[in-house]
Amino acid sequence: MATIYDVAKAAGVSPKTVSRVLNDDAPVGRDTRKAVQDAMSRLGYVPSNAARVMRSNKSGLIGLITGAISNTPDHGDPRGLPELYIVQGVQDVFGREAKTLMISDTGGHSDRVPSLVSTFRQHRVEGLIYVADYHRQTRFEVRPGDPPVVLANCYDTVGTPSILPDDRICQHRLVARLIAAGHRRIGYLTLGASMDATRLRTEGYRDAHAEAGLPLDPAMIQEAYRDDHAPMTAALGRLLALPEPPTVICCGNDEMAMRPYGLLRTRGIEVPQRISIAGFDNYRAIAETLFPPLTTVELPYREMGRQAARRLLDIIAGTAPAATDPVRVPGPVVWRSSVTGVAGAAGT
């Protein structure tokens, strides 16, 4: 393997001149630079990254810990995809910044995280991003000497910089749009009550009603999330049995929204002619293939990844602005034909 001394001899220069060309840290004449570069090419010289890191304390490496690889589903199942989209957003930024992203997968075992952090420390990464599988609180221990950390899709109780979806604003935007289309009886089939997303989205649902001056009927909010169909069937039955049933039903996510389509049709209720349906996520494999296509709100996973990457770069550079964590990223409403306006409403 060629060394810096071999390159210097072949180019007819000193090893110090070769070092200057490699590190670009001092002026070198054009002809001399070309002679050194030609010699490196002929000899197949590969610079020592380890040596350069020791000199500059900058490896150009960023560590990312996720379960996106082991959790990536088959056959169009949307579970696991949020992590993958966040990773794609992270790579968008670091690819343009000439940083190398090193990805390590937990394999679904959170207890592996400390050892993965230790491995990244050995590789002298400049920073770390931890990506969670869904919006939740986590415990990511940062020890003295660890590289700076940014959390994506999760947060902790000690103020580690974090990027989250703005579930409250997303749901508020969706319900406000439904109200603008003339809907006044808006059912809501939620995710699990213990989830952060459910609490925040319910607050957004309430915010939109308050903003429009609409009374809130607690019976319109029903928990319906589980792997089996029974909770959804029962919750939908309770909504339809109300003296004034909903004209539109919001669902906790797009996967949940598929079930009311079929359940309503078995009762002879057409979507959206009699009851409209809205989802949450904008998972296109579902939203664009349902008939009619599903109105939903997009969770901005790729943008969350981009913001996490930019935040980490600012921290590394020492230019991070003061911020109140977590930073919440909103997404747009995607209006499709599963929702129709109520006759007589403005703009319908």
Side-chain angles (χ1 to χ4, degrees):
M1 181 180 294
T3 69
I4 191 172
Y5 300 101
D6 298 324
V7 173
K9 183 177 180 180
V13 300
S14 69
K16 189 172 183 178
T17 299
V18 176
S19 178
R20 287 172 176 170
V21 172
L22 287 170
N23 297 309
D24 200 23
D25 58 0
V28 177
R30 180 181 300 175
D31 292 342
T32 301
R33 181 180 294 275
K34 186 176 186 306
V36 171
Q37 291 170 339
D38 288 346
M40 288 191 291
S41 179
R42 290 197 308 274
L43 297 173
Y45 173 74
V46 178
S48 170
N49 184 63
R52 185 165 60 251
V53 169
M54 290 181 69
R55 287 192 300 271
S56 67
N57 202 33
K58 292 187 177 181
S59 65
L61 302 176
I62 303 293
L64 186 144
I65 299 174
T66 178
I69 299 170
S70 55
N71 288 340
T72 298
D74 297 321
H75 310 303
D77 187 337
R79 286 170 289 190
L81 286 173
E83 285 176 281
L84 186 59
Y85 294 148
I86 293 170
V87 172
Q88 289 173 347
V90 169
Q91 179 58 35
D92 283 349
V93 173
F94 288 134
R96 293 193 298 270
E97 295 293 332
K99 299 288 187 184
T100 300
L101 188 63
M102 299 176 66
I103 301 175
S104 191
D105 191 272
T106 62
H109 301 287
S110 59
D111 56 354
R112 293 190 59 208
V113 171
S115 66
L116 296 177
V117 173
S118 179
T119 299
F120 280 134
R121 287 187 68 182
Q122 293 170 22
H123 284 81
R124 293 179 179 267
V125 296
E126 296 181 39
L128 277 170
I129 295 177
Y130 176 73
V131 180
D133 50 351
Y134 63 94
H135 181 169
R136 59 184 172 86
Q137 182 177 316
T138 190
R139 185 175 180 271
F140 192 97
E141 185 177 354
V142 180
R143 300 169 299 173
D146 280 352
V149 173
V150 171
L151 305 176
N153 211 27
C154 58
Y155 63 96
D156 61 18
T157 59
V158 297
T160 302
S162 58
I163 309 296
L164 296 175
D166 199 332
D167 286 285
R168 183 171 183 168
I169 289 296
C170 286
Q171 191 73 47
H172 174 271
R173 287 177 174 177
L174 175 62
V175 175
R177 183 76 181 271
L178 297 173
I179 292 171
H183 292 278
R184 298 295 180 267
R185 297 286 291 171
I186 301 172
Y188 183 22
L189 300 175
T190 76
L191 296 168
S194 64
M195 299 177 69
D196 284 359
T198 298
R199 173 179 56 81
L200 292 166
R201 293 177 194 177
T202 302
E203 289 173 1
Y205 172 94
R206 295 176 185 275
D207 292 343
H209 280 75
E211 183 178 81
L214 291 179
L216 193 69
D217 183 353
M220 297 292 275
I221 303 174
Q222 299 284 338
E223 183 179 353
Y225 183 73
R226 235 172 44 206
D227 288 337
D228 61 284
H229 288 250
M232 171 67 73
T233 303
L236 183 62
R238 288 192 292 271
L239 290 180
L240 297 178
L242 292 172
E244 292 183 69
T247 58
V248 60
I249 297 173
C250 296
C251 298
N253 60 31
D254 295 344
E255 185 183 12
M256 284 177 64
M258 293 190 293
R259 295 179 181 176
Y261 271 69
L263 291 171
L264 289 172
R265 283 170 179 157
T266 61
R267 293 170 175 254
I269 300 174
E270 296 181 329
V271 177
Q273 288 85 347
R274 285 184 57 190
I275 295 182
S276 296
I277 300 291
F280 201 107
D281 281 351
N282 195 29
Y283 180 59
R284 292 182 178 179
I286 291 175
E288 293 180 352
T289 56
L290 282 171
F291 183 78
L294 182 65
T295 290
T296 184
V297 60
E298 182 164 323
L299 276 176
Y301 292 121
R302 286 188 179 87
E303 180 58 24
M304 287 166 56
R306 295 185 192 104
Q307 291 205 25
R310 289 193 287 264
R311 183 79 180 278
L312 184 58
L313 287 172
D314 287 344
I315 294 171
I316 292 169
T319 59
T324 301
D325 287 294
V327 173
R328 299 186 185 275
V329 185
V333 174
V334 182
W335 196 263
R336 299 188 179 96
S337 53
S338 68
V339 175
T340 187
V342 175
T348 63

